[in-house]
Amino acid sequence: MKHVLPQANPLALLTFGFTAVVGSFLIGRPVAAAVVVAVYAVLALACVPSWRPLRWRLFAVGFAAVSLWWSSWLLGGHDVSIATTAAGRILVLALPGAIVAAFIDPMRFGDALAQNLRLPARFVGAFTASLTRFDRLGETFDQLQRTRRIRGFGPSRNPISRAATTAPLTFGLLVTAMRGATQLSLAMDSRGFATAQRRSWAQPSPWRRGDTLIVAAAVLVTIVLPVALR
C-alpha cells in the first residue's frame, strides 16, 4: 500500500483534509479523539512511503496539540478531560492534511483541477504556477543563506545573531519571489497564455476506483467514526 499516496488523484487526497475539518467538530470525548488518531496512525503506517518529508509537519502539529493542551488545562480549571479533548480535536483536524499535503504534486493537482473539476484553464494555470513557485521558496531561502555566509555576513552560533539575520533574509526572499513572479508572468504572456482558447495539459488525470475508496475511507474515519463514538 506504499504506492497509494504518491499515485492517488490529488483531489482524493485533498478530500481527506477537508473531511477532517468536519470531523474535528464531532470530537466530544478524549476516547473518541484517541481512537480516531489511532486509526490515522494505522493508515499512515500502512500507506506513507517515506517519513522524511513529514518530520517538520508532524512536529508542528504535535507542538500545536501540546501547547493547546497546556493552555486549556491552565485556563480551564485544570480539567484534564477538557484539555485532552481540545488537543485531540487539533490532532484530528490537522494530521490528515499535514500528511497528504506532502504527497500532492502541484502539476498533478493543476491537471486534476482542470480535467476533473473543469475549472477555468486560466485560473488553473496561474494557480499551478504560483504553487510551483511557492514550493521552491525553501530552496531559495537556503541559497540566500549560503550566499550571505560566503560574503562574510553569516550568523554566528549565538541565537541572537541568528535571529538578527532573519529580517534581511526574509527581505531578500521577498525580492527574489517578486522578481521570479515577474519573469514567470512575462514568459507566460509571451507564449500566449492570456489569449489562448484551446489548451492542453501536462498529463491525463483519471479518477480510478482507488480514489473513490480513499474518499470513502476519509468519510468513514473522519466523520462516521467520531459520530459513532459520541
Side-chain angles (χ1 to χ4, degrees):
M1 296 180 66
K2 300 293 184 181
H3 64 282
V4 170
L5 291 179
Q7 296 182 2
N9 190 299
L11 295 180
L13 297 181
L14 204 61
T15 304
F16 225 115
F18 282 127
T19 55
V21 177
V22 180
S24 63
F25 289 102
L26 301 175
I27 298 296
R29 297 186 300 160
V31 175
V35 171
V36 175
V37 172
V39 175
Y40 283 173
V42 172
L43 291 176
L45 290 174
C47 299
V48 171
S50 173
W51 291 93
R52 187 172 182 178
L54 301 177
R55 290 179 299 180
W56 286 108
R57 298 168 187 264
L58 296 180
F59 173 78
V61 174
F63 180 78
V66 171
S67 60
L68 183 60
W69 187 94
W70 173 253
S71 59
S72 300
W73 178 80
L74 190 63
L75 302 176
H78 296 185
D79 192 321
V80 176
S81 178
I82 293 177
T84 306
T85 302
R89 284 175 178 165
I90 288 297
L91 293 176
V92 172
L93 168 67
L95 275 178
I99 293 175
V100 300
F103 300 96
I104 295 180
D105 179 70
M107 300 300 292
R108 293 187 62 216
F109 186 43
D111 290 333
L113 290 177
Q115 299 175 48
N116 298 128
L117 294 185
R118 305 293 181 185
L119 294 183
R122 188 170 182 175
F123 165 77
V124 171
F127 183 64
T128 305
S130 63
L131 283 182
T132 55
R133 300 295 304 180
F134 182 80
D135 201 35
R136 296 175 181 173
L137 286 180
E139 181 180 347
T140 305
F141 192 82
D142 292 337
Q143 292 176 352
L144 291 173
Q145 276 187 317
R146 287 196 295 269
T147 303
R148 287 181 60 84
R149 193 174 296 117
I150 292 173
R151 292 178 176 176
F153 296 106
S156 63
R157 294 183 178 181
N158 190 335
I160 298 178
S161 174
R162 292 180 179 276
T165 59
T166 302
L169 282 174
T170 304
F171 181 75
L173 182 66
L174 177 63
V175 172
T176 305
M178 293 180 65
R179 185 181 301 165
T182 303
Q183 294 173 347
L184 180 62
S185 63
L186 290 174
M188 294 173 73
D189 283 342
S190 65
R191 296 184 179 184
F193 177 77
T195 57
Q197 299 300 323
R198 290 186 178 182
R199 301 178 189 274
S200 59
W201 301 102
Q203 297 177 355
S205 181
W207 184 273
R208 302 184 179 90
R209 184 182 302 173
D211 300 319
T212 305
L213 292 178
I214 291 175
V215 174
V219 174
L220 286 174
V221 174
T222 61
I223 297 179
V224 176
L225 185 57
V227 170
L229 294 173
R230 286 176 71 88

